[in-house]
Amino acid sequence: MNNIKSVIIIILFLGLSSCDADFLDVTPSNSGDASTSIKTLADAKVMLTGIMSNMTSSNYYGRNFILYGDAKGGDLTTFSMGRGLDGLYSFNHSPTSGSYSGFWNSIYNSILQTNNLIVNIERLEASGVEADFSDVKGQALTARALMYFDLVRIYGKPYSYDKASYGVPNILEPLDALAQPLRATVAENYNQIISDLKEAQPLLSKTKNNGYLNYYANMAMQARVYLNMEQYPEALAAAQEIIDSGAYSLYSNSEWVNSWTGQFGSESIFELAILPSEADLGNSSLSVYLRRAGHKSSSAIGQFIASDYYLNRLGEDTNDVRWGVLDYDEVGPTHMGASYKYSGDIALSGDGKSTATAVNIKVIRLSEIYLIAAEAAFHSDKALAATYLKAIRKRAPNLAPATAETISIDMILDEKSKELFTEGQRFFDMLRLNKQITFNDDLGGVPISTREKTIDRTFYKTVLPISQEEINANPEIESQQNPGY
C-alpha cells in the first residue's frame, strides 16, 4: 500500500493484523473480514487481548508516550543530543520532520480495532446471543476513552485553556476506505470520552483482572478526565470511590522501592503486561532508554536523565524513599539521574520475568488517585485535601506533613512530580495548570534552537502537528492544522 495513506485507511485492509502486536494476528473462529469476525465471547476476548497488547507498542505506552510526558515537562533532560527521541525534548517538530506521527497511527490503529470489537458485540447482542459480553464491551469502551484522552492531550490544547479549539477526529465505528474524517473540538472529544466511560461503568466487574480493565480502572479514568476538565466535585467523587472501596492499598515506605520488581501490586489499578515473547522492546525499551549509559548494555546510551530541577525537588528530603529507584548517571557519581522503574531495580532484576526489559507498565496507580483527590478537594475543603496529600507526602519522612494552612496547588504538583516521575504525567499537568516549564539545557550544554529555555502553554509546539502523510491521505484536514505549523 502507498506509504502516504493514513492509518485510518490502512486499518481497513489490515483487519485483525498488526505490526505492533502478535496478538492481533490471532484470527477468531470466523476467519472472515473484521466486520464479521467475532461470533463468540472467546473471539471477543481474543480481540480485546490484542488491543491491550497493541497499547504496549513503542509508539504508545511501551515507550514513547511515557517519555513524551516527562521529557517535555522538565523532569527529564538530555546530556547530549542525537541519542534518540531527543526531538521530544527539543520540541523539534514540523509536519514533515519530527511529527512523531507514530502516536496518531498507533493509537488510531487500536481505536479502530476497538470500534470493530464494540460494533460486533452490539450486533451479537441485538441478535439475541446468550453469551454475556458486558464486561468485554465495558473494557473496550474504557480503553477507547483512555486512547482518546491521550490523543486529545497530544494534538489538542488543554480543556481548561481552549476547549473550542481542534482536538482529534471522533471515530466511533468502522470506516469506509474512502472516509476522510475531520477533527472534532477538544470539548467534543472530552464529551465522547465521558460518554464512553459512563456507558462502560455499569458493565464492568469490580474484580481485579490483571492486565485488563475493571470498574475501578474506569473510575480512575473518570477522575483523571474530570480533573482535566476542572470539574472538581466529579473528580473527587470518582477518586474517593476507589480509595474508600479498599480494593487497593498504598505501598508502605518499606514496600515502595521493591514494588517495581513485582507485577500487579496492591497499588496497580491498570497495568499493561509486557511479556518477553510478545511485547518486550529489549534494547529499545524504557528500561534501556532511562538507565545509566553503558549499564550492562552497549545500547544503553543515557537518552534521558533526571533534570536538576527534579532532583532538587526530590532532594528536599534525602531520606525520601523514591531515591531508591534512581542511580548515578554519566554526569557524575553524585548526580542520581538514571531511573530504574522499568528495570525493576538498580540491579536490573526486572519484575519477575526472564528479561529486565519486559517490565509491566503501571498506567494508573492508587498513588495518583490520592493526588487527584487532593487537588480536587483543594478547591472546596483544604483540610480534606491535606489528608489525601499526607498519605503520599509521607514517602519523604522528614518533610512536614501538609495541613489545611500550608497546602497549595504547587505542593500537590511537586508531590505528583516526585511520585509519578517517568510515568508520563508531568507535561500534561504543567499545561493544564498553566505553569511555566523550564528545561535543564545547561546540564550538558546542549544547543536548542527549536524552543526557548522556558515555555508555557502558549508555545505552539506544545501540541504536535498533523503529519504531512496524514494530510496527503486526507487533504481536507490540512485546513485544521494546528496553528504555527
PDB file of all heavy atoms in Angstrom, residues 2-32:
ATOM      1  N   ASN A   2       0.444   2.252  -0.710  1.00  0.00           N
ATOM      2  CA  ASN A   2       1.177   3.511  -0.756  1.00  0.00           C
ATOM      3  C   ASN A   2       1.430   4.017   0.664  1.00  0.00           C
ATOM      4  O   ASN A   2       0.518   4.137   1.476  1.00  0.00           O
ATOM      5  CB  ASN A   2       0.328   4.535  -1.532  1.00  0.00           C
ATOM      6  CG  ASN A   2       1.108   5.786  -1.841  1.00  0.00           C
ATOM      7  OD1 ASN A   2       1.893   6.233  -1.032  1.00  0.00           O
ATOM      8  ND2 ASN A   2       0.868   6.329  -3.017  1.00  0.00           N
ATOM      9  N   ASN A   3       2.675   4.337   0.974  1.00  0.00           N
ATOM     10  CA  ASN A   3       3.015   4.650   2.355  1.00  0.00           C
ATOM     11  C   ASN A   3       2.532   6.004   2.824  1.00  0.00           C
ATOM     12  O   ASN A   3       2.743   6.366   3.980  1.00  0.00           O
ATOM     13  CB  ASN A   3       4.531   4.533   2.582  1.00  0.00           C
ATOM     14  CG  ASN A   3       5.327   5.497   1.718  1.00  0.00           C
ATOM     15  OD1 ASN A   3       4.775   6.379   1.076  1.00  0.00           O
ATOM     16  ND2 ASN A   3       6.636   5.310   1.693  1.00  0.00           N
ATOM     17  N   ILE A   4       1.886   6.784   1.966  1.00  0.00           N
ATOM     18  CA  ILE A   4       1.333   8.047   2.434  1.00  0.00           C
ATOM     19  C   ILE A   4      -0.101   7.903   2.921  1.00  0.00           C
ATOM     20  O   ILE A   4      -0.700   8.873   3.373  1.00  0.00           O
ATOM     21  CB  ILE A   4       1.404   9.133   1.336  1.00  0.00           C
ATOM     22  CG1 ILE A   4       0.488   8.767   0.154  1.00  0.00           C
ATOM     23  CG2 ILE A   4       2.815   9.363   0.886  1.00  0.00           C
ATOM     24  CD1 ILE A   4       0.360   9.877  -0.872  1.00  0.00           C
ATOM     25  N   LYS A   5      -0.681   6.711   2.809  1.00  0.00           N
ATOM     26  CA  LYS A   5      -2.046   6.526   3.286  1.00  0.00           C
ATOM     27  C   LYS A   5      -2.085   6.570   4.806  1.00  0.00           C
ATOM     28  O   LYS A   5      -1.200   6.059   5.484  1.00  0.00           O
ATOM     29  CB  LYS A   5      -2.607   5.184   2.810  1.00  0.00           C
ATOM     30  CG  LYS A   5      -2.783   5.099   1.292  1.00  0.00           C
ATOM     31  CD  LYS A   5      -3.845   6.061   0.816  1.00  0.00           C
ATOM     32  CE  LYS A   5      -4.080   5.894  -0.674  1.00  0.00           C
ATOM     33  NZ  LYS A   5      -5.097   6.840  -1.157  1.00  0.00           N
ATOM     34  N   SER A   6      -3.119   7.158   5.355  1.00  0.00           N
ATOM     35  CA  SER A   6      -3.243   7.254   6.814  1.00  0.00           C
ATOM     36  C   SER A   6      -3.625   5.917   7.403  1.00  0.00           C
ATOM     37  O   SER A   6      -4.142   5.030   6.728  1.00  0.00           O
ATOM     38  CB  SER A   6      -4.314   8.281   7.204  1.00  0.00           C
ATOM     39  OG  SER A   6      -5.588   7.759   6.929  1.00  0.00           O
ATOM     40  N   VAL A   7      -3.418   5.801   8.700  1.00  0.00           N
ATOM     41  CA  VAL A   7      -3.758   4.551   9.377  1.00  0.00           C
ATOM     42  C   VAL A   7      -5.251   4.292   9.332  1.00  0.00           C
ATOM     43  O   VAL A   7      -5.703   3.154   9.380  1.00  0.00           O
ATOM     44  CB  VAL A   7      -3.253   4.575  10.840  1.00  0.00           C
ATOM     45  CG1 VAL A   7      -4.021   5.565  11.682  1.00  0.00           C
ATOM     46  CG2 VAL A   7      -3.339   3.182  11.457  1.00  0.00           C
ATOM     47  N   ILE A   8      -6.041   5.333   9.201  1.00  0.00           N
ATOM     48  CA  ILE A   8      -7.486   5.139   9.155  1.00  0.00           C
ATOM     49  C   ILE A   8      -7.881   4.333   7.932  1.00  0.00           C
ATOM     50  O   ILE A   8      -8.818   3.544   7.949  1.00  0.00           O
ATOM     51  CB  ILE A   8      -8.201   6.503   9.172  1.00  0.00           C
ATOM     52  CG1 ILE A   8      -7.961   7.177  10.533  1.00  0.00           C
ATOM     53  CG2 ILE A   8      -9.692   6.366   8.915  1.00  0.00           C
ATOM     54  CD1 ILE A   8      -8.469   8.588  10.614  1.00  0.00           C
ATOM     55  N   ILE A   9      -7.138   4.502   6.825  1.00  0.00           N
ATOM     56  CA  ILE A   9      -7.389   3.700   5.633  1.00  0.00           C
ATOM     57  C   ILE A   9      -6.680   2.357   5.748  1.00  0.00           C
ATOM     58  O   ILE A   9      -7.242   1.313   5.450  1.00  0.00           O
ATOM     59  CB  ILE A   9      -6.931   4.456   4.371  1.00  0.00           C
ATOM     60  CG1 ILE A   9      -7.755   5.746   4.218  1.00  0.00           C
ATOM     61  CG2 ILE A   9      -7.072   3.602   3.137  1.00  0.00           C
ATOM     62  CD1 ILE A   9      -7.291   6.651   3.106  1.00  0.00           C
ATOM     63  N   ILE A  10      -5.455   2.374   6.209  1.00  0.00           N
ATOM     64  CA  ILE A  10      -4.665   1.148   6.316  1.00  0.00           C
ATOM     65  C   ILE A  10      -5.363   0.093   7.151  1.00  0.00           C
ATOM     66  O   ILE A  10      -5.393  -1.079   6.803  1.00  0.00           O
ATOM     67  CB  ILE A  10      -3.275   1.449   6.916  1.00  0.00           C
ATOM     68  CG1 ILE A  10      -2.447   2.281   5.937  1.00  0.00           C
ATOM     69  CG2 ILE A  10      -2.538   0.165   7.261  1.00  0.00           C
ATOM     70  CD1 ILE A  10      -1.131   2.773   6.529  1.00  0.00           C
ATOM     71  N   ILE A  11      -5.970   0.514   8.247  1.00  0.00           N
ATOM     72  CA  ILE A  11      -6.523  -0.463   9.177  1.00  0.00           C
ATOM     73  C   ILE A  11      -7.623  -1.300   8.547  1.00  0.00           C
ATOM     74  O   ILE A  11      -7.832  -2.461   8.894  1.00  0.00           O
ATOM     75  CB  ILE A  11      -7.058   0.262  10.442  1.00  0.00           C
ATOM     76  CG1 ILE A  11      -7.358  -0.749  11.560  1.00  0.00           C
ATOM     77  CG2 ILE A  11      -8.295   1.066  10.131  1.00  0.00           C
ATOM     78  CD1 ILE A  11      -6.174  -1.427  12.110  1.00  0.00           C
ATOM     79  N   LEU A  12      -8.316  -0.721   7.562  1.00  0.00           N
ATOM     80  CA  LEU A  12      -9.389  -1.466   6.922  1.00  0.00           C
ATOM     81  C   LEU A  12      -8.861  -2.611   6.090  1.00  0.00           C
ATOM     82  O   LEU A  12      -9.550  -3.604   5.862  1.00  0.00           O
ATOM     83  CB  LEU A  12     -10.232  -0.517   6.070  1.00  0.00           C
ATOM     84  CG  LEU A  12     -10.921   0.586   6.890  1.00  0.00           C
ATOM     85  CD1 LEU A  12     -11.520   1.630   5.980  1.00  0.00           C
ATOM     86  CD2 LEU A  12     -11.986  -0.012   7.786  1.00  0.00           C
ATOM     87  N   PHE A  13      -7.634  -2.488   5.620  1.00  0.00           N
ATOM     88  CA  PHE A  13      -7.016  -3.563   4.848  1.00  0.00           C
ATOM     89  C   PHE A  13      -6.274  -4.544   5.749  1.00  0.00           C
ATOM     90  O   PHE A  13      -6.101  -5.697   5.406  1.00  0.00           O
ATOM     91  CB  PHE A  13      -6.056  -2.971   3.813  1.00  0.00           C
ATOM     92  CG  PHE A  13      -6.770  -2.215   2.728  1.00  0.00           C
ATOM     93  CD1 PHE A  13      -7.012  -0.861   2.868  1.00  0.00           C
ATOM     94  CD2 PHE A  13      -7.217  -2.859   1.588  1.00  0.00           C
ATOM     95  CE1 PHE A  13      -7.678  -0.160   1.878  1.00  0.00           C
ATOM     96  CE2 PHE A  13      -7.883  -2.155   0.593  1.00  0.00           C
ATOM     97  CZ  PHE A  13      -8.118  -0.803   0.737  1.00  0.00           C
ATOM     98  N   LEU A  14      -5.864  -4.047   6.916  1.00  0.00           N
ATOM     99  CA  LEU A  14      -5.125  -4.922   7.826  1.00  0.00           C
ATOM    100  C   LEU A  14      -6.051  -5.865   8.576  1.00  0.00           C
ATOM    101  O   LEU A  14      -5.638  -6.933   9.021  1.00  0.00           O
ATOM    102  CB  LEU A  14      -4.332  -4.087   8.845  1.00  0.00           C
ATOM    103  CG  LEU A  14      -3.132  -3.308   8.286  1.00  0.00           C
ATOM    104  CD1 LEU A  14      -2.490  -2.514   9.406  1.00  0.00           C
ATOM    105  CD2 LEU A  14      -2.126  -4.238   7.651  1.00  0.00           C
ATOM    106  N   GLY A  15      -7.310  -5.451   8.775  1.00  0.00           N
ATOM    107  CA  GLY A  15      -8.230  -6.284   9.536  1.00  0.00           C
ATOM    108  C   GLY A  15      -7.723  -6.495  10.937  1.00  0.00           C
ATOM    109  O   GLY A  15      -7.495  -5.568  11.669  1.00  0.00           O
ATOM    110  N   LEU A  16      -7.486  -7.735  11.303  1.00  0.00           N
ATOM    111  CA  LEU A  16      -7.054  -8.048  12.651  1.00  0.00           C
ATOM    112  C   LEU A  16      -5.546  -8.098  12.796  1.00  0.00           C
ATOM    113  O   LEU A  16      -5.036  -8.380  13.860  1.00  0.00           O
ATOM    114  CB  LEU A  16      -7.637  -9.394  13.087  1.00  0.00           C
ATOM    115  CG  LEU A  16      -9.128  -9.391  13.400  1.00  0.00           C
ATOM    116  CD1 LEU A  16      -9.576 -10.797  13.699  1.00  0.00           C
ATOM    117  CD2 LEU A  16      -9.418  -8.471  14.554  1.00  0.00           C
ATOM    118  N   SER A  17      -4.785  -7.849  11.743  1.00  0.00           N
ATOM    119  CA  SER A  17      -3.335  -7.943  11.855  1.00  0.00           C
ATOM    120  C   SER A  17      -2.753  -6.646  12.341  1.00  0.00           C
ATOM    121  O   SER A  17      -3.352  -5.598  12.233  1.00  0.00           O
ATOM    122  CB  SER A  17      -2.714  -8.301  10.501  1.00  0.00           C
ATOM    123  OG  SER A  17      -2.905  -7.255   9.591  1.00  0.00           O
ATOM    124  N   SER A  18      -1.539  -6.713  12.895  1.00  0.00           N
ATOM    125  CA  SER A  18      -0.845  -5.514  13.348  1.00  0.00           C
ATOM    126  C   SER A  18       0.626  -5.777  13.438  1.00  0.00           C
ATOM    127  O   SER A  18       1.058  -6.795  13.944  1.00  0.00           O
ATOM    128  CB  SER A  18      -1.364  -5.090  14.728  1.00  0.00           C
ATOM    129  OG  SER A  18      -0.542  -4.095  15.266  1.00  0.00           O
ATOM    130  N   CYS A  19       1.405  -4.796  12.979  1.00  0.00           N
ATOM    131  CA  CYS A  19       2.853  -4.939  13.083  1.00  0.00           C
ATOM    132  C   CYS A  19       3.319  -4.747  14.509  1.00  0.00           C
ATOM    133  O   CYS A  19       4.433  -5.087  14.859  1.00  0.00           O
ATOM    134  CB  CYS A  19       3.550  -3.928  12.171  1.00  0.00           C
ATOM    135  SG  CYS A  19       3.174  -2.207  12.583  1.00  0.00           S
ATOM    136  N   ASP A  20       2.430  -4.185  15.380  1.00  0.00           N
ATOM    137  CA  ASP A  20       2.839  -3.882  16.736  1.00  0.00           C
ATOM    138  C   ASP A  20       2.509  -5.001  17.706  1.00  0.00           C
ATOM    139  O   ASP A  20       3.037  -5.045  18.802  1.00  0.00           O
ATOM    140  CB  ASP A  20       2.148  -2.603  17.230  1.00  0.00           C
ATOM    141  CG  ASP A  20       2.697  -1.372  16.547  1.00  0.00           C
ATOM    142  OD1 ASP A  20       3.916  -1.316  16.317  1.00  0.00           O
ATOM    143  OD2 ASP A  20       1.902  -0.480  16.243  1.00  0.00           O
ATOM    144  N   ALA A  21       1.584  -5.897  17.366  1.00  0.00           N
ATOM    145  CA  ALA A  21       1.143  -6.871  18.355  1.00  0.00           C
ATOM    146  C   ALA A  21       0.798  -8.193  17.708  1.00  0.00           C
ATOM    147  O   ALA A  21      -0.130  -8.283  16.917  1.00  0.00           O
ATOM    148  CB  ALA A  21      -0.083  -6.324  19.103  1.00  0.00           C
ATOM    149  N   ASP A  22       1.539  -9.216  18.077  1.00  0.00           N
ATOM    150  CA  ASP A  22       1.268 -10.534  17.531  1.00  0.00           C
ATOM    151  C   ASP A  22      -0.127 -11.027  17.922  1.00  0.00           C
ATOM    152  O   ASP A  22      -0.715 -11.837  17.218  1.00  0.00           O
ATOM    153  CB  ASP A  22       2.312 -11.544  18.023  1.00  0.00           C
ATOM    154  CG  ASP A  22       3.675 -11.273  17.410  1.00  0.00           C
ATOM    155  OD1 ASP A  22       3.717 -10.585  16.374  1.00  0.00           O
ATOM    156  OD2 ASP A  22       4.669 -11.753  17.970  1.00  0.00           O
ATOM    157  N   PHE A  23      -0.646 -10.557  19.069  1.00  0.00           N
ATOM    158  CA  PHE A  23      -1.971 -10.985  19.476  1.00  0.00           C
ATOM    159  C   PHE A  23      -2.999 -10.686  18.393  1.00  0.00           C
ATOM    160  O   PHE A  23      -3.961 -11.407  18.212  1.00  0.00           O
ATOM    161  CB  PHE A  23      -2.402 -10.247  20.756  1.00  0.00           C
ATOM    162  CG  PHE A  23      -1.941 -10.918  22.013  1.00  0.00           C
ATOM    163  CD1 PHE A  23      -1.153 -10.232  22.925  1.00  0.00           C
ATOM    164  CD2 PHE A  23      -2.305 -12.224  22.289  1.00  0.00           C
ATOM    165  CE1 PHE A  23      -0.740 -10.844  24.082  1.00  0.00           C
ATOM    166  CE2 PHE A  23      -1.893 -12.839  23.459  1.00  0.00           C
ATOM    167  CZ  PHE A  23      -1.109 -12.140  24.355  1.00  0.00           C
ATOM    168  N   LEU A  24      -2.792  -9.585  17.669  1.00  0.00           N
ATOM    169  CA  LEU A  24      -3.773  -9.216  16.664  1.00  0.00           C
ATOM    170  C   LEU A  24      -3.679 -10.095  15.428  1.00  0.00           C
ATOM    171  O   LEU A  24      -4.507  -9.994  14.530  1.00  0.00           O
ATOM    172  CB  LEU A  24      -3.610  -7.742  16.293  1.00  0.00           C
ATOM    173  CG  LEU A  24      -3.944  -6.766  17.432  1.00  0.00           C
ATOM    174  CD1 LEU A  24      -3.739  -5.343  16.977  1.00  0.00           C
ATOM    175  CD2 LEU A  24      -5.364  -6.963  17.915  1.00  0.00           C
ATOM    176  N   ASP A  25      -2.668 -10.946  15.347  1.00  0.00           N
ATOM    177  CA  ASP A  25      -2.574 -11.892  14.252  1.00  0.00           C
ATOM    178  C   ASP A  25      -3.408 -13.144  14.513  1.00  0.00           C
ATOM    179  O   ASP A  25      -3.576 -13.982  13.640  1.00  0.00           O
ATOM    180  CB  ASP A  25      -1.114 -12.316  14.025  1.00  0.00           C
ATOM    181  CG  ASP A  25      -0.272 -11.161  13.515  1.00  0.00           C
ATOM    182  OD1 ASP A  25      -0.823 -10.334  12.780  1.00  0.00           O
ATOM    183  OD2 ASP A  25       0.919 -11.105  13.858  1.00  0.00           O
ATOM    184  N   VAL A  26      -3.907 -13.265  15.741  1.00  0.00           N
ATOM    185  CA  VAL A  26      -4.719 -14.426  16.081  1.00  0.00           C
ATOM    186  C   VAL A  26      -6.106 -14.229  15.497  1.00  0.00           C
ATOM    187  O   VAL A  26      -6.808 -13.285  15.846  1.00  0.00           O
ATOM    188  CB  VAL A  26      -4.816 -14.601  17.609  1.00  0.00           C
ATOM    189  CG1 VAL A  26      -5.712 -15.784  17.951  1.00  0.00           C
ATOM    190  CG2 VAL A  26      -3.429 -14.817  18.193  1.00  0.00           C
ATOM    191  N   THR A  27      -6.499 -15.101  14.580  1.00  0.00           N
ATOM    192  CA  THR A  27      -7.793 -14.974  13.920  1.00  0.00           C
ATOM    193  C   THR A  27      -8.855 -15.685  14.745  1.00  0.00           C
ATOM    194  O   THR A  27      -8.695 -16.846  15.105  1.00  0.00           O
ATOM    195  CB  THR A  27      -7.747 -15.588  12.519  1.00  0.00           C
ATOM    196  OG1 THR A  27      -6.687 -14.978  11.795  1.00  0.00           O
ATOM    197  CG2 THR A  27      -9.060 -15.369  11.786  1.00  0.00           C
ATOM    198  N   PRO A  28      -9.955 -14.997  15.078  1.00  0.00           N
ATOM    199  CA  PRO A  28     -11.036 -15.668  15.800  1.00  0.00           C
ATOM    200  C   PRO A  28     -11.633 -16.815  14.984  1.00  0.00           C
ATOM    201  O   PRO A  28     -11.246 -17.064  13.839  1.00  0.00           O
ATOM    202  CB  PRO A  28     -12.048 -14.533  16.013  1.00  0.00           C
ATOM    203  CG  PRO A  28     -11.232 -13.279  15.958  1.00  0.00           C
ATOM    204  CD  PRO A  28     -10.184 -13.559  14.919  1.00  0.00           C
ATOM    205  N   SER A  29     -12.637 -17.470  15.563  1.00  0.00           N
ATOM    206  CA  SER A  29     -13.150 -18.699  14.964  1.00  0.00           C
ATOM    207  C   SER A  29     -13.687 -18.480  13.557  1.00  0.00           C
ATOM    208  O   SER A  29     -13.673 -19.375  12.738  1.00  0.00           O
ATOM    209  CB  SER A  29     -14.249 -19.286  15.855  1.00  0.00           C
ATOM    210  OG  SER A  29     -15.297 -18.354  16.018  1.00  0.00           O
ATOM    211  N   ASN A  30     -14.207 -17.312  13.287  1.00  0.00           N
ATOM    212  CA  ASN A  30     -14.631 -16.996  11.935  1.00  0.00           C
ATOM    213  C   ASN A  30     -13.520 -16.187  11.278  1.00  0.00           C
ATOM    214  O   ASN A  30     -13.205 -15.098  11.713  1.00  0.00           O
ATOM    215  CB  ASN A  30     -15.939 -16.180  11.977  1.00  0.00           C
ATOM    216  CG  ASN A  30     -16.304 -15.657  10.598  1.00  0.00           C
ATOM    217  OD1 ASN A  30     -15.925 -16.254   9.600  1.00  0.00           O
ATOM    218  ND2 ASN A  30     -17.043 -14.567  10.552  1.00  0.00           N
ATOM    219  N   SER A  31     -12.901 -16.700  10.251  1.00  0.00           N
ATOM    220  CA  SER A  31     -11.729 -16.058   9.667  1.00  0.00           C
ATOM    221  C   SER A  31     -12.078 -15.081   8.558  1.00  0.00           C
ATOM    222  O   SER A  31     -11.259 -14.754   7.729  1.00  0.00           O
ATOM    223  CB  SER A  31     -10.769 -17.122   9.104  1.00  0.00           C
ATOM    224  OG  SER A  31     -11.429 -17.897   8.115  1.00  0.00           O
ATOM    225  N   GLY A  32     -13.315 -14.572   8.531  1.00  0.00           N
ATOM    226  CA  GLY A  32     -13.701 -13.575   7.542  1.00  0.00           C
ATOM    227  C   GLY A  32     -13.141 -12.217   7.882  1.00  0.00           C
ATOM    228  O   GLY A  32     -12.268 -12.071   8.728  1.00  0.00           O
TER     229      GLY A  32
END
